[in-house]
């Protein structure tokens, strides 16, 4: 049939039905030839009448020209992470917490697919944007790539603004095909389907994403204006819009039904075409979700009931040392390859040398390996019964395998303290300029990475050698950005000494310890001996040894930085008549000011701000959405004040 202005809309609808049956239902209603013929007819018509192109046309799934980089995009409603439960006891505890407040609650249970989270925003029925999870508040804008995923409708029959959230997946079978192609092309292999999905979604060239046959499965919503009262009803409506429907979803009225649903999914996990790592449990009633609210990092009305980790055995061939960005040296076992959940495992962490000694793990041992979802494989224990005498003891290192400097050796951790070690330079640089350190505006993590890759900075002191010409020449830098960054670098000179101490990233020496060191030793802090440091109130042996070793290993660089920054070591003026003098205070919940400003105010009044509630806590100050800390403080009889109440007490 010829495409005309009169039947164009009908033909679009017909083609979309063909695509939905093929890509989502896996039940074709037309041959490939019929689909291709209609597709090209529509495409030819749209080339003649581009002003008539409908946003729902399948031709709009083809990406534009490759992007140079992804833009950042904020979610309308935060994408929260789920708390995990790992066994029936933890599940019972989680459910009973909800029943204690709302005994009428019911739950929706669905498979937890192991992929890359994506947030779709629809406005007036049209797909407006697609954004990765990112930090939960904002992610990368990948709309072009999302449009190539056939199971994401470009248009839905709902005019209300709605954020539809789900997981981008690759089937286990398709994962093998992609890795085989990469192997033949000499490319690095994806570790597992989750990595493959995430990597495919974040391609700057959407044509590559289009070839990966990604699947999008909805699991929740963000901002929405639905009149429906339950999550299960809204989810059913979303599936009716043309999205992929998971093979199993159950509305459960009690914990026994939740356990039955979990058992069903667990027993059938291998039959699913996509990787699963557990089951999502969601309070079904929206009114109860709202009442339960959120903790700082996760919703109280949902959790992930994780599958038991998969165990296999393999042989340790050798042990290599991996130096992390913070300088921690981690022993890694090189293994005989063993397949776990579709991925060939050849390496597994040994945690630390204390664990190795405690478990008596040796090179040549047959060991039990455990892996859960995308978690790094871990060695649980050696199978000592099969030893033949050829096994070798794993020797604890004394010098860094990268820079050869002497290592800081503690009971559990071994760490390279050398700030110039190649393995830890990036992390040292990032921490050095961070908010609680030098607090240099304009030098975030990605900017530090860019400057390092362009060889403009290598060591901490290089930050102070940056020039306008060097920054302005970089891709993405304009005059104002370059000048503002240089002004921020200059402004940090003369900062308080504690900030400089904290900026160095010394193991066990955080913000509180840095302030104590400034008050006690002033600018002579890096010349103090182990004995002088350990004599300080609150300083233990590990803290003293770490600072003394760090000062010795990095003596020359510390002096160079002190000469550049010229920090000040002024004493705090603490009000002696303050109500909070010497009091231990815990902050919880969301407040009108940022937490650091409130903490600084309280410390200026002589208070000690702690992160956890105990019998020694004198006050708890709380804001909105206060969580378990408030409940614990009330149970202990600690005086709890709202933000308005405690501010009223401050002169």
């Amino acid at each position: 049939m010829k495409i005309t202005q009169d039947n164009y809309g009908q033909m679009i609808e017909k083609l979309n039905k063909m695509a939905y049956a093929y890509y989502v239902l896996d039940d074709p209603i037309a041959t490939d030839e019929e689909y291709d013929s209609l597709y090209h007819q529509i495409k030819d018509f749209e080339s003649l009448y581009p002003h008539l192109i409908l946003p729902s046309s399948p031709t709009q799934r083809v990406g534009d020209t490759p992007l140079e980089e992804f833009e950042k995009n904020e979610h309308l409603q935060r994408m929260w992470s789920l708390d995990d439960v790992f066994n029936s006891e933890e599940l019972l505890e989680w459910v009973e917490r909800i029943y204690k407040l709302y005994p009428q609650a019911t739950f929706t249970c669905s498979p937890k697919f192991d992929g890359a989270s994506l947030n779709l925003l629809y406005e007036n029925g049209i797909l407006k944007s697609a954004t990765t999870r990112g930090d939960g508040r904002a992610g990368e804008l990948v709309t072009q790539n999302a449009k190539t995923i056939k199971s994401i409708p470009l248009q839905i029959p709902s005019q209300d603004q709605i954020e539809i959230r789900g997981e981008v997946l690759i089937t286990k079978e398709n994962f093998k095909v992609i890795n085989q192609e990469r192997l033949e092309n000499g490319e690095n292999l994806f570790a597992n389907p989750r990595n493959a999905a995430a990597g495919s979604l974040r391609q700057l060239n959407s044509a590559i994403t289009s070839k990966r046959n990604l699947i999008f499965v909805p699991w929740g919503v963000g901002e929405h204006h639905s009149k429906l009262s339950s999550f299960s009803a809204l989810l059913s409506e979303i599936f009716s819009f043309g999205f992929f429907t998971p093979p199993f979803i159950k509305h459960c009225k009690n914990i026994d039904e939740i356990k039955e649903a979990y058992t069903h999914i667990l027993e059938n996990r291998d039959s699913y075409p996509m990787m699963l790592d557990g089951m999502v449990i969601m309070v079904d009633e929206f009114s109860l979700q709202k009442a339960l609210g959120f903790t700082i990092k996760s919703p109280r009305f949902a959790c992930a009931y994780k599958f038991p980790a998969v165990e296999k055995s393999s042989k340790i061939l050798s042990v290599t040392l991996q130096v992390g960005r913070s300088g921690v040296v981690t022993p890694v076992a090189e293994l005989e390859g063993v397949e776990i959940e579709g991925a060939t495992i050849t390496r597994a962490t040994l945690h630390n040398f204390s664990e190795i000694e405690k478990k008596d793990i040796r090179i040549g041992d047959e060991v039990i390996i455990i892996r859960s979802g995308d978690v790094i494989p871990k060695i649980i224990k050696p199978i000592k019964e099969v030893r033949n005498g050829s096994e070798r003891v794993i020797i604890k290192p004394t010098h860094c395998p990268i820079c050869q400097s002497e290592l800081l050796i503690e009971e559990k951790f071994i760490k390279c303290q050398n700030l110039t070690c190649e393995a830890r330079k990036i992390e040292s640089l990032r921490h050095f300029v961070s908010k609680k350190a030098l607090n240099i505006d304009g030098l975030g993590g990605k900017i530090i990475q860019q400057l390092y890759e362009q060889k403009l900075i290598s060591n901490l002191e290089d930050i102070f050698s940056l020039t306008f010409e060097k920054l302005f020449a970089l891709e993405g830098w304009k005059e104002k950005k370059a000048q503002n960054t240089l002004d921020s670098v200059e402004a940090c000179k003369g900062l308080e000494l504690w900030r400089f101490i904290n900026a160095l990233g010394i193991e066990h020496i955080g913000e509180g310890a840095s302030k104590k060191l400034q008050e006690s030793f002033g600018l002579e802090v890096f010349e103090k001996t182990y004995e002088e440091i350990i004599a300080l109130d609150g300083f233990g042996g590990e803290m003293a040894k770490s600072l003394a070793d760090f000062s010795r290993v990095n003596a020359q660089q510390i002096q160079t930085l002190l000469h550049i920054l010229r920090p000040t070591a002024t004493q705090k003026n603490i009000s002696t008549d303050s109500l909070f003098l010497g009091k231990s205070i815990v902050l919880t919940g969301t407040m009108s000011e940022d937490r650091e400003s409130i903490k600084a105010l309280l410390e200026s009044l002589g208070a000690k701000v702690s992160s956890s509630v105990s019998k020694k806590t004198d006050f708890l100050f709380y804001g909105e959405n206060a969580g378990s800390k408030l409940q614990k403080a009330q149970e202990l009889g600690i005086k709890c004040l709202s933000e308005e109440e405690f501010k009223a007490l401050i002169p």
Side-chain angles (χ1 to χ4, degrees):
M1 180 185 293
K2 185 179 179 181
I3 308 295
T4 66
Q5 293 186 31
D6 292 332
N7 67 12
Y8 169 65
Q10 289 178 285
M11 294 300 104
I12 291 293
E13 188 176 344
K14 182 178 179 180
L15 193 63
N16 278 328
K17 284 182 178 178
M18 290 181 180
Y20 177 71
Y22 184 86
Y23 292 106
V24 179
L25 301 179
D26 196 22
D27 186 16
I29 59 174
T31 65
D32 290 351
E33 185 180 358
E34 287 171 330
Y35 180 90
D36 291 341
S37 174
L38 183 54
Y39 179 92
H40 287 294
Q41 287 181 60
I42 289 173
K43 192 173 181 181
D44 292 341
F45 174 82
E46 290 174 343
S47 67
L48 294 173
Y49 305 100
H51 60 288
L52 296 178
I53 296 176
L54 292 174
S56 59
S57 172
T59 62
Q60 300 309 293
R61 292 193 181 278
V62 179
D64 298 324
T65 54
L67 300 171
E68 292 185 5
E69 62 180 352
F70 292 114
E71 297 177 27
K72 287 289 183 184
N73 190 43
E74 289 191 13
H75 306 302
L76 298 184
Q77 192 178 105
R78 182 171 171 179
M79 288 186 77
W80 302 85
S81 299
L82 296 182
D83 283 337
D84 294 330
V85 298
F86 292 95
N87 52 55
S88 58
E89 290 77 18
E90 291 181 4
L91 172 67
L92 179 62
E93 184 182 335
W94 183 82
V95 173
E96 285 184 340
R97 276 202 304 268
I98 292 170
Y99 277 153
K100 185 177 180 181
L101 297 170
Y102 305 104
Q104 75 276 27
T106 62
F107 305 87
T108 295
C109 297
S110 59
K112 184 178 182 299
F113 293 104
D114 195 16
S117 294
L118 187 66
N119 186 35
L120 306 177
L121 173 61
Y122 287 87
E123 291 185 351
N124 299 317
I126 305 299
L127 178 63
K128 182 181 179 183
S129 66
T131 310
T132 62
R133 179 192 292 277
D135 63 3
R137 300 184 185 277
E140 292 179 316
L141 196 63
V142 292
T143 313
Q144 248 181 243
N145 291 348
K147 285 184 175 181
T148 71
I149 300 174
K150 306 298 193 302
S151 51
I152 294 179
L154 301 178
Q155 187 172 14
I156 60 176
S158 171
Q159 298 304 300
D160 291 333
Q161 185 184 61
I162 184 170
E163 288 181 306
I164 297 175
R165 282 149 182 193
E167 211 75 0
V168 174
L169 310 166
I170 280 180
T171 65
K172 290 180 275 191
E173 193 60 38
N174 197 32
F175 168 69
K176 292 178 181 177
V177 172
I178 291 170
N179 260 357
Q180 184 59 39
E181 290 175 354
R182 294 176 72 84
L183 182 64
E184 292 171 0
N185 294 331
E187 299 173 295
N188 291 333
L189 302 184
F190 287 120
N192 49 52
R194 181 186 185 278
N195 292 143
S200 300
L201 183 62
R202 297 185 68 260
Q203 290 290 329
L204 293 173
N205 185 349
S206 57
I208 297 174
T209 307
S210 180
K211 294 176 182 177
R212 296 279 170 83
N213 295 323
L214 300 176
I215 297 170
F216 176 82
V217 182
W219 48 250
V221 292
E223 183 74 15
H224 69 93
H225 307 281
S226 174
K227 302 290 192 297
L228 296 171
S229 61
S230 73
F231 173 71
S232 57
L234 180 55
L235 207 54
S236 294
E237 183 177 74
I238 288 170
F239 293 141
S240 74
F241 295 161
F243 287 95
F244 183 94
T245 304
F248 179 87
I249 291 183
K250 185 176 181 181
H251 183 213
C252 300
K253 297 180 178 61
N254 53 54
I255 192 165
D256 289 334
E257 291 188 4
I258 293 174
K259 289 180 177 179
E260 287 174 10
Y262 177 78
T263 301
H264 174 85
I265 295 174
L266 179 59
E267 290 177 348
N268 290 278
R269 68 186 296 192
D270 292 336
S271 67
Y272 282 71
M274 294 82 75
M275 295 286 291
L276 310 181
D277 61 356
M279 182 178 80
V280 175
I281 308 170
M282 184 91 63
V283 170
D284 193 51
E285 295 79 15
F286 282 135
S287 60
L288 301 189
Q289 287 189 11
K290 185 176 180 181
L292 284 163
F294 303 84
T295 66
I296 291 174
K297 64 176 184 177
S298 59
R300 292 192 178 92
F301 53 81
C303 72
Y305 190 0
K306 302 300 283 289
F307 286 153
V310 177
E311 290 187 1
K312 292 281 184 80
S313 68
S314 183
K315 185 177 182 180
I316 298 180
L317 302 177
S318 61
V319 172
T320 55
L321 300 177
Q322 186 170 287
V323 183
R325 289 180 174 178
S326 63
V328 173
V329 179
T330 303
V332 177
E334 306 294 338
L335 306 165
E336 286 183 346
V338 57
E339 187 174 314
I340 303 179
E341 292 188 310
T344 301
I345 306 302
T346 57
R347 309 183 86 211
T349 180
L350 286 161
H351 300 288
N352 53 63
F353 285 91
S354 175
E355 281 283 296
I356 291 173
E357 291 174 4
K358 187 165 66 175
K359 294 178 179 178
D360 187 23
I361 300 172
R362 305 178 185 182
I363 295 171
D365 266 339
E366 190 76 17
V367 291
I368 300 294
I369 308 160
I370 191 169
R371 181 173 183 266
S372 177
D374 196 38
V375 176
I376 297 169
K378 295 179 285 191
I379 289 176
I380 302 303
K381 64 175 184 178
I383 307 174
K384 297 180 182 179
E385 293 76 11
V386 299
R387 283 180 175 168
N388 58 20
S390 64
E391 295 78 18
R392 306 192 310 279
V393 172
I394 299 169
I395 305 299
K396 186 183 295 185
T398 57
H399 290 75
C400 175
I402 306 299
C403 68
Q404 306 307 315
S405 66
E406 186 180 344
L407 294 169
L408 171 68
I409 299 176
E410 299 178 341
E411 182 182 347
K412 285 190 175 182
F413 295 106
I414 296 178
K415 185 171 182 178
C416 175
Q417 294 273 65
N418 182 9
L419 287 172
T420 63
C421 178
E422 288 294 333
R424 60 169 300 184
K425 278 186 177 181
I426 283 285
E427 186 61 29
S428 295
L429 287 161
R430 283 177 175 155
H431 178 73
F432 192 64
V433 302
S434 63
K435 189 173 182 180
K436 291 186 179 181
L438 267 60
N439 194 22
I440 300 179
D441 286 337
L443 288 182
K446 289 195 173 181
I447 297 299
I448 288 291
Q449 185 79 35
Q450 182 187 24
L451 297 176
Y452 185 81
E453 290 174 353
Q454 295 298 317
K455 302 190 186 309
L456 293 185
I457 57 173
S458 178
N459 298 314
L460 303 182
E461 54 266 38
D462 294 339
I463 291 169
F464 306 97
S465 300
L466 294 170
T467 64
F468 179 86
E469 290 73 24
K470 289 177 181 177
L471 294 178
F472 185 58
L474 292 172
E475 183 179 353
W477 286 71
K478 296 181 180 178
E479 291 184 19
K480 187 176 180 181
K481 181 178 178 180
Q483 191 57 55
N484 286 347
T485 300
L486 290 176
D487 290 345
S488 294
V489 170
E490 188 64 28
C492 77
K493 294 179 180 178
L495 79 171
E496 285 189 89
L497 176 64
W498 75 262
R499 283 190 169 276
F500 174 66
I501 299 170
N502 192 39
L504 293 173
I506 307 168
E507 190 73 10
H508 306 306
I509 307 297
E511 180 183 347
S514 297
K515 290 177 179 177
K516 182 77 173 179
L517 289 167
Q518 171 182 310
E519 293 167 6
S520 304
F521 298 136
L523 294 170
E524 296 177 355
V525 59
F526 300 106
E527 300 167 19
K528 297 301 177 182
T529 64
Y530 171 86
E531 289 74 19
E532 289 173 301
I533 299 167
I534 200 171
L536 290 179
D537 181 36
F539 275 65
E542 287 188 347
M543 294 174 73
K545 186 176 188 307
S546 177
L547 176 58
D549 287 354
F550 184 94
S551 300
R552 176 173 49 80
V553 170
N554 299 287
Q556 185 175 345
Q557 191 174 17
I558 289 171
Q559 290 306 311
T560 299
L561 290 168
L562 285 171
H563 178 74
I564 294 170
L565 285 164
R566 300 196 179 280
T568 57
T570 54
Q571 289 288 115
K572 277 189 175 180
N573 294 318
I574 296 176
S575 173
T576 55
D577 59 354
S578 166
L579 173 66
F580 304 119
L581 180 64
K583 302 298 184 182
S584 175
I585 297 173
V586 173
L587 304 175
T588 187
T590 304
M591 301 188 185
S592 59
E593 292 183 55
D594 67 272
R595 190 72 62 87
E596 291 306 313
S597 298
I598 296 174
K599 183 179 177 183
L601 172 62
L602 292 170
E603 287 178 342
S604 72
L605 297 170
K608 177 186 176 184
V609 180
S610 176
S611 60
S612 59
V613 176
S614 71
K615 291 179 180 178
K616 295 181 179 179
T617 303
D618 296 297
F619 294 96
L620 179 132
F621 298 160
Y622 63 90
E624 294 181 4
N625 299 320
S628 58
K629 289 181 183 178
L630 176 58
Q631 184 179 345
K632 184 176 180 181
Q634 290 170 336
E635 291 171 355
L636 291 173
I638 293 164
K639 191 170 182 62
C640 301
L641 302 175
S642 67
E643 182 179 4
E644 293 75 19
E645 288 172 331
F646 83 75
K647 283 189 173 178
L649 298 174
I650 296 174

